[in-house]
Amino acid sequence: MAMKPKVYVLDPYHKDAIALLRSTDWIDLILWDDSRKADWQKDAVGVMLRSDTRLTGSDFRLAAAAGNKLRVVVKQGVGVDNIDLAAAAAAGVAVHNTPALNSESVAEFSLALALSLSRRVTEIDRRVRQGEKVARSRVLGLSLFRKTVGVVGMGNIGRIAARKWIGACESRVLAYDPVAPRGVWDREQIPHTRVGSLEELLREADVVTLHVPLLDSTRGMIGGRELACMKDRSILINASRGGIVDERALLEELRRKRIWGAVLDAVEVEPPTLEAYGDFLELDNVIITPHIGASTIENQSNSGLAVVRTLLAVLEGKDDVPGKLV
């Protein structure tokens, strides 16, 4: 009898995704809490992962040395900076992601973060929990109604974020993306002004929300010079990837309290620790969360199921499986 292909799930997935895998009787399933996971390179035919695990060139070389059994890697979400794509291509391994599925949740969370900061929700909550009597006249928030929102990155998340800002706050939207085709939002009738430079957006926006992947061209794109361009009492949102914002420069800007503050769901050290971000967390004008923009019950179920269906389709030899990167 032919051996069943071994599928390794390297990171925790939603129970619905695991149920679908368990119901697939032609695979041998190894989950993240199984001791065999440590040696997955020896016999994995398919691999599922999230952002918690990195697949390096060494991993792909070990898999190839074991007989080149590995056929496909599927990552939940859009970002694949934790996978060495060049090494995967060299080893003949297909890499897929799940584009667009996280967009609604991430856009929703970026809006929630900005409103929480502007109305000082987390700051006031902490003070109440500490037993402080809070004088309302001393904790005035900042209204974002009909303010200008600058969306950096005009992909799926940026598009949905723009719609949410318009619907929730009647925002004027500026958009910047050096590679998106001309008129990319026009067919969806999203009212916006597309600017020709990041600097122009930063100088006009009351809220700057980042929705770009981490690439050589975007690493450090918001540094000291860019932060200095931002308006007084403006808000910076990074719900995309750590590394896009120069965190040292941001810390200095937050300490000056010229801008209203920053909300960060993506930082360079993930998950964020007190050791790495203690200086940030001493400040009231910053909110840091551990990259949970996509973490809703609904999204984790849908995304996990999409990963499983993608992996199974590749192993079944189907053509035109969505999300292929390599």
Side-chain angles (χ1 to χ4, degrees), residues 71-98:
R71 290 177 54 194
V72 60
V73 169
V74 188
K75 158 73 166 50
Q76 180 173 324
V78 177
V80 289
D81 43 291
N82 58 324
I83 302 173
D84 189 330
L85 295 180
V93 178
V95 177
H96 291 250
N97 63 358
T98 54

Side-chain angles (χ1 to χ4, degrees), residues 298-310:
E298 297 84 356
N299 186 59
Q300 290 304 301
S301 174
N302 293 336
S303 296
L305 289 170
V307 169
V308 173
R309 291 173 181 137
T310 296

Side-chain angles (χ1 to χ4, degrees), residues 117-118 120 140-142 233-235 258-262 285:
L117 184 74
S118 70
R120 302 172 69 170
L140 296 179
L142 179 71
R233 287 196 277 188
S234 57
I235 290 174
R258 182 187 63 82
I259 66 172
W260 187 264
N285 59 343

Side-chain angles (χ1 to χ4, degrees), residues 266-289:
V267 290
E268 292 190 55
V269 178
E270 292 187 354
T273 62
L274 285 174
E275 181 180 6
Y277 292 98
D279 289 341
F280 280 90
L281 296 172
E282 290 177 357
L283 305 173
D284 287 328
N285 59 343
V286 63
I287 297 174
I288 298 180
T289 50

Side-chain angles (χ1 to χ4, degrees), residues 97-114:
N97 63 358
T98 54
L101 293 181
N102 289 347
S103 301
E104 177 69 34
S105 298
V106 174
E108 177 184 74
F109 193 56
S110 65
L111 176 64
L113 284 173

